[in-house]
């Protein structure tokens, strides 16, 4: 769906510069400015919006002898009704007669801004397109008779979901709040954790039709300025009708599009984003999406969970070892089973080989076809479980797997050993904290199974070599994807496979933050002297 209505701007720098200048001049000429005629401005707004039923227009006569006429425009359901009533009361009661009767007519606009408008963010608008955009974004617009400009007041009040625990990244120990679809709520969740004047937020508007607000968040002095500049440049090059979710932005700004592995990290957890901002990364928040993307991203991040930093270092290290082990199981278990049964039966102990041969007696398919049938069946069950209603989906996937597996064994289509291999592979695939990495492993697993069926163990080794080469060629905003393993950085090994104690991780990732690599050093906990006892 996306490919039908987006275009990327050309990469030719000189031609791109001239085209951008021409586009800016054209947009400036294209802007339709507001007129002094009060009635003409209102009729233009109505005509542009097609006399939309949710556009509310109220005309107020204020001042002595009702000498000033003001039109209030807003979208029904998009503004806070209480704040709107306060705004209307202020317009009627707080405007001074001296300001209204002043010979300088521009003082009316100034008086309204300073005295009458006491709520929301105030902006002076002079063109019709900006006026309509603000009205559709939850602003109330004030059109003043005989004035070629308008005042918009931000009083959004649309319905929104409350802060809840994210379903895609649950924890046993840790904070329970998660991002929502409201951009202001998401920025406040980050502000609660990073109360620093160096925490900067910069806003952009992307999408010719949707005009979606996109926020860039980073910590000044810690984040790499080159990365911040690169983020701005890539976002500015997006030429698309609609941005409906963070994935749109992720797909349009990533370094490499032809890879199964995610090169941009996304999460619903504010604590995870705050931790990455403190390492020198840049976060991108999209209005209407509960997921926040963080760049640059490394492959090791997809094995790390927020809970690793809320437990003891030894427990977190053990869990990371388990995740890496599950990665190899999910990637290679069916391939090794196929390779051994097809090409290398001598590698199995005699007792085990006889047991597997007895199970496979009467199976009409080779091991590769047998594994392919089971993998495809499990993928169908997984997808059906996701699309079904939540109360039914989980039960259907579990019961479906048990019934189909047992029935397939009794019918002589697959063996018991193959059911065990596919089951442990599927379980290991759920151990990754990032669901997009689990999807990547599922894709690569089918390729490894084909190599194992044709070339055996040598095919698996060849596939691993190709996979390592591919991973080493990937970049995420200029940073090697396999950092700190390749290139190997010794000081960054404290938070890869091992999770060292917090007091020992006094340096930030070297290739991520190049401005301020040293954190505030924490002294290790002191041990009490032997023989002393707390009274």
């Amino acid at each position: 769906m996306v490919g039908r209505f987006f275009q990327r701007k050309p990469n030719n720098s000189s031609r791109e510069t001239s085209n951008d200048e021409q586009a800016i001049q054209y947009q400036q000429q294209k802007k339709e400015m507001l007129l002094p005629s009060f009635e003409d401005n209102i009729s233009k707004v109505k005509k542009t919006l097609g006399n939309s039923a949710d556009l509310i227009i109220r005309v107020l006569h204020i001042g002595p002898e009702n000498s000033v006429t003001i039109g209030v425009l807003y979208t029904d359901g998009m503004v806070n009704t209480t704040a709107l009533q306060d705004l209307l009361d202020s317009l009627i009661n707080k405007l001074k007669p001296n300001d209204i009767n002043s010979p300088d007519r521009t003082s009316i606009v100034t008086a309204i801004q300073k005295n009458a408008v006491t709520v929301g963010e105030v902006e002076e608008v002079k063109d019709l397109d900006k006026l309509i955009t603000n009205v559709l974004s939850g602003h109330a617009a004030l059109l003043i008779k005989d004035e070629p400009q308008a005042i918009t007041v931000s009083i959004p009040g649309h319905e929104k979901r409350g802060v809840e625990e994210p379903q895609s990244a649950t924890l046993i120990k840790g904070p329970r709040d998660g991002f929502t679809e409201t951009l202001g709520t998401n920025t406040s969740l980050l502000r609660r954790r990073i109360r620093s004047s160096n925490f900067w937020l910069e806003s952009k508007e992307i999408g010719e039709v949707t005009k979606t607000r996109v926020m860039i968040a980073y910590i000044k002095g810690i984040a790499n300025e080159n990365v911040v500049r690169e983020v701005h440049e890539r976002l500015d090059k997006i030429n698309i009708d609609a941005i409906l979710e963070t994935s749109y932005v992720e797909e349009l700004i990533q370094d490499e599009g032809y890879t199964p592995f995610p090169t941009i990290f996304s999460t619903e957890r504010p604590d995870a984003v705050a931790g990455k901002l403190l390492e020198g990364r840049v976060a991108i928040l999209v209005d209407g999406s509960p997921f926040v993307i963080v760049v640059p991203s490394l492959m090791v991040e997809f094995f790390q969970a927020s809970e690793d930093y809320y437990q003891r270092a030894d427990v977190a290290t053990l869990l990371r070892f388990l995740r890496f082990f599950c990665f190899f199981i999910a990637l290679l278990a069916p391939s090794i089973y196929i390779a051994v049964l097809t090409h290398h039966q001598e590698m199995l102990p005699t007792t085990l080989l006889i047991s597997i041969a007895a199970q496979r007696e009467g199976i009409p398919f080779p091991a590769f076809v047998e594994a392919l049938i089971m993998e495809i069946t499990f993928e169908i069950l997984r997808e059906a479980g996701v699309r079904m209603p939540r109360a039914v989906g989980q039960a259907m996937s579990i019961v479906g797997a048990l019934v189909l597996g047992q029935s397939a064994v009794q019918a002589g289509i697959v063996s018991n050993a193959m059911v065990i291999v596919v089951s442990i592979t599927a379980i290991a695939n759920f151990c990754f904290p990032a669901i997009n990495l689990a999807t990547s492993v599922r894709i690569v697993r089918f390729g490894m199974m084909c190599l194992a069926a044709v070339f055996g163990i040598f095919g698996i080794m060849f596939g691993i070599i190709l996979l390592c080469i591919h991973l080493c060629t990937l970049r995420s905003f200029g940073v090697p994807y396999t950092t700190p393993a390749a290139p190997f950085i010794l000081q960054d090994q404290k938070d890869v496979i091992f999770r060292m104690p917090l007091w020992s991780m006094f340096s930030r990732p070297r290739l991520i933050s190049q401005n301020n690599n040293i954190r505030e050093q924490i002294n290790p906990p002191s041990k009490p002297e032997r023989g002393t006892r707390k009274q």
Side-chain angles (χ1 to χ4, degrees):
M1 181 181 71
V2 179
R4 291 186 295 177
F5 58 81
F6 94 88
Q7 293 179 346
R8 295 293 296 272
K9 293 183 179 179
N11 293 326
N12 189 309
S13 58
S14 60
R15 185 177 301 174
E16 181 181 359
T17 303
S18 61
N19 291 342
D20 289 346
E21 293 175 354
Q22 294 176 1
I24 292 174
Q25 295 176 0
Y26 174 73
Q27 291 294 335
Q28 291 176 350
Q29 296 175 359
K30 187 180 177 181
K31 283 183 179 179
E32 186 174 0
M33 309 305 292
L34 294 175
L35 301 175
S37 175
F38 175 77
E39 292 78 8
D40 290 345
N41 290 332
I42 291 182
S43 63
K44 283 184 178 181
V45 173
K46 288 183 177 180
K47 183 179 179 181
T48 304
L49 295 178
N51 291 320
S52 180
D54 62 346
L55 176 64
I56 308 299
I57 300 177
R58 292 195 57 186
V59 179
L60 303 178
H61 300 280
I62 63 175
E65 298 180 358
N66 298 327
S67 58
V68 178
T69 302
I70 295 180
V72 182
L73 287 73
Y74 62 94
T75 306
D76 187 22
M78 294 291 292
V79 299
N80 189 322
T81 55
T82 303
L84 177 64
Q85 185 62 44
D86 294 340
L87 175 63
L88 298 180
D89 293 340
S90 299
L91 290 174
I92 296 173
N93 301 322
K94 293 186 178 181
L95 209 57
K96 299 178 180 179
N98 294 334
D99 296 329
I100 297 176
N101 297 325
S102 174
D104 185 8
R105 296 291 295 172
T106 58
S107 64
I108 297 179
V109 178
T110 305
I112 290 176
Q113 291 180 351
K114 292 183 178 180
N115 303 324
V117 180
T118 59
V119 294
E121 179 185 355
V122 182
E123 183 180 1
E124 193 173 320
V125 178
K126 296 184 178 181
D127 63 277
L128 182 65
D129 183 66
K130 182 64 175 177
L131 173 66
I132 293 176
T133 301
N134 287 358
V135 170
L136 297 178
S137 301
H139 295 234
L142 306 179
L143 288 172
I144 306 169
K145 190 173 183 179
D146 299 331
E147 293 293 338
Q149 55 189 342
I151 300 173
T152 60
V153 184
S154 176
I155 48 174
H158 53 82
E159 294 296 328
K160 57 184 180 180
R161 182 170 62 92
V163 177
E164 302 172 353
E165 182 178 4
Q167 298 296 321
S168 61
T170 57
L171 300 180
I172 298 176
K173 182 180 181 181
R176 294 290 189 267
D177 55 346
F179 290 121
T180 68
E181 290 77 13
T182 307
L183 187 60
T185 303
N186 295 342
T187 55
S188 66
L189 290 174
L190 293 177
R191 281 288 185 191
R192 287 174 53 190
R193 289 170 167 82
I194 307 177
R195 300 183 178 92
S196 172
S197 59
N198 293 326
F199 179 43
W200 287 13
L201 293 168
E202 300 175 0
S203 179
K204 289 183 179 295
E205 192 176 89
I206 303 177
E208 295 296 329
V209 178
T210 59
K211 300 185 184 301
T212 306
R213 286 188 65 197
V214 176
M215 200 80 74
I216 302 171
Y218 63 95
I219 300 179
K220 183 72 173 178
I222 296 179
N224 192 335
E225 294 295 336
N226 294 328
V227 175
V228 176
R229 191 181 307 111
E230 182 70 18
V231 170
H232 278 281
E233 291 177 357
R234 296 191 187 188
L235 291 177
D236 291 337
K237 289 181 180 180
I238 296 178
N239 185 17
I240 191 172
D241 284 348
I243 297 291
L244 302 179
E245 216 274 335
T246 309
S247 302
Y248 283 53
V249 177
E250 180 179 347
E251 186 173 351
L252 294 173
I253 67 173
Q254 61 185 354
D255 291 63
E256 182 62 51
Y258 298 100
T259 177
F261 291 92
T263 56
I264 294 180
F265 184 83
S266 62
T267 181
E268 287 186 271
R269 301 199 60 86
D271 55 330
V273 175
K276 295 184 183 303
L277 289 175
L278 292 170
E279 290 182 347
R281 293 177 170 84
V282 180
I284 303 175
L285 300 86
V286 178
D287 192 16
S289 173
F291 285 89
V292 174
I293 58 179
V294 183
V295 295
S297 300
L298 309 178
M299 185 177 180
V300 295
E301 294 181 53
F302 298 94
F303 294 92
Q304 300 171 354
S306 299
E307 197 171 10
D308 293 349
Y309 304 95
Y310 307 142
Q311 300 186 21
R312 289 174 41 182
D314 51 353
V315 177
T317 300
L318 178 62
L319 293 177
R320 285 191 183 177
F321 271 107
L322 182 63
R323 293 186 199 122
F324 279 100
F325 181 64
C326 290
F327 172 78
F328 288 104
I329 291 179
L331 182 65
L332 301 176
S335 306
I336 294 176
Y337 180 81
I338 293 171
V340 170
L341 286 187
T342 306
H343 299 280
H344 311 284
Q345 297 90 346
E346 67 279 1
M347 296 179 61
L348 294 176
T350 305
T351 306
L352 180 59
L353 180 61
I354 294 174
S355 175
I356 295 178
Q359 295 176 23
R360 289 186 49 80
E361 185 178 359
I363 303 296
F365 305 111
F368 171 70
V369 177
E370 185 183 1
L372 198 62
I373 292 174
M374 289 300 298
E375 286 288 344
I376 293 176
T377 302
F378 192 83
E379 293 297 329
I380 294 174
L381 287 171
R382 188 205 309 266
E383 188 67 16
V386 172
R387 305 304 165 199
M388 290 288 290
R390 184 172 300 178
V392 183
Q394 186 176 4
M396 190 206 69
S397 59
I398 295 175
V399 174
L402 292 174
V403 172
L404 286 178
Q406 186 66 26
S407 301
V409 171
Q410 293 179 355
I413 299 176
V414 298
S415 62
N416 290 321
M418 179 57 70
V419 173
I420 295 174
V421 171
V422 173
S423 300
I424 192 64
T425 302
I427 295 173
N429 210 57
F430 288 114
C431 293
F432 306 133
I435 188 64
N436 43 6
L437 179 64
T439 305
S440 304
V441 172
R442 287 158 54 190
I443 296 173
V444 177
R445 182 165 63 231
F446 285 98
M448 300 296 290
M449 289 168 56
C450 295
L451 290 174
V454 178
F455 303 106
I457 295 295
F458 301 102
I460 296 177
M461 298 303 298
F462 179 70
I464 293 175
I465 293 173
L466 289 180
L467 184 61
C468 292
I469 294 174
H470 174 70
L471 292 175
C472 290
T473 59
L474 296 180
R475 296 290 186 274
S476 179
F477 280 76
V479 178
Y481 189 55
T482 53
T483 305
F488 183 80
I489 302 176
L490 181 60
Q491 65 182 20
D492 291 347
Q493 301 300 318
K494 299 177 181 179
D495 195 21
V496 182
I497 299 178
F498 298 91
R499 206 283 275 174
M500 303 300 290
L502 293 177
W503 54 263
S504 65
M505 294 191 293
F506 54 85
S507 61
R508 296 185 176 90
R510 197 178 75 177
L511 294 183
I512 301 296
S513 175
Q514 300 179 1
N515 300 327
N516 187 359
N517 291 96
I518 305 300
R519 305 176 190 259
E520 294 294 333
Q521 189 167 353
I522 306 173
N523 295 325
S526 58
K527 297 181 179 180
E529 296 181 3
R530 183 171 299 180
T532 61
R533 180 178 298 178
K534 187 178 294 186
Q535 299 295 329

